[in-house]
Amino acid sequence: MFGPVAYRWYSLLDCRFPLPPVSLASSMAGASNSAAKLLAIGKRVAVDQIVFAPVAIGAFFTVMGAMEGRRMDDIRASLRAKYSKALAGNYALWPWAQLVNFSVVPLIYRVPFASLVSVSWNVYLSRVNSRRTPTLDHTHG
């Protein structure tokens, strides 16, 4: 499910924050072209981390809770208990990974690159998700 969503997201970021074209004139401009490229990449990373990451993390805990058969109250409690830790972990890893992804990886290879990074990220998220939440320690009948 991640692949098609990620590809569309990366395509949207490319359209909204295009890199400056590379031409002889722009390569002679030097610093101004580099600054424009860095600004576009920075905007992509910022929007990815401000918009996509928080939604994706919330969706992860919600879907996992539903697949585990939890009640909505339990899912909300899990989100309250685990969301901040997961988001902090996201901000330690993904801005750097996306900086590389958006600056040197062609669009067609961005999903495979992100999927490679996601292997370790998913291990981390699974560990956060598997932690006991005090309000979830009761059983349902």
Side-chain angles (χ1 to χ4, degrees):
M1 184 166 101
F2 174 75
V5 172
Y7 183 78
R8 289 190 185 277
W9 176 247
Y10 293 152
S11 296
L12 174 69
L13 291 175
D14 273 7
C15 288
R16 298 289 296 152
F17 309 107
L19 297 178
V22 178
S23 66
L24 181 58
S26 65
S27 64
M28 292 176 70
S32 65
N33 194 43
S34 295
K37 182 177 179 180
L38 285 174
L39 182 62
I41 292 167
K43 286 178 181 178
R44 289 177 185 183
V45 172
V47 170
D48 182 67
Q49 293 304 300
I50 292 168
V51 176
F52 189 81
V55 171
I57 291 170
F60 172 83
F61 287 116
T62 302
V63 169
M64 288 302 295
M67 290 189 334
E68 292 167 352
R70 297 190 184 277
R71 297 182 317 203
M72 202 59 205
D73 289 345
D74 292 339
I75 293 171
R76 281 191 209 100
S78 180
L79 275 167
R80 280 191 298 275
K82 300 171 183 177
Y83 184 84
S84 295
K85 180 176 178 66
L87 193 60
N90 171 84
Y91 290 144
L93 171 67
W94 281 105
W96 306 108
Q98 294 296 49
L99 182 65
V100 170
N101 204 10
F102 296 142
S103 62
V104 297
V105 179
L107 177 60
I108 194 168
Y109 299 118
R110 288 192 190 142
V111 173
F113 176 84
S115 295
L116 181 64
V117 176
S118 289
V119 171
S120 59
W121 172 244
N122 289 333
V123 169
Y124 172 78
L125 269 184
S126 295
R127 287 187 60 135
V128 171
N129 188 53
S130 68
R131 285 188 336 180
R132 283 277 199 218
T133 305
T135 59
L136 300 179
D137 284 340
H138 60 282
T139 58
H140 308 299

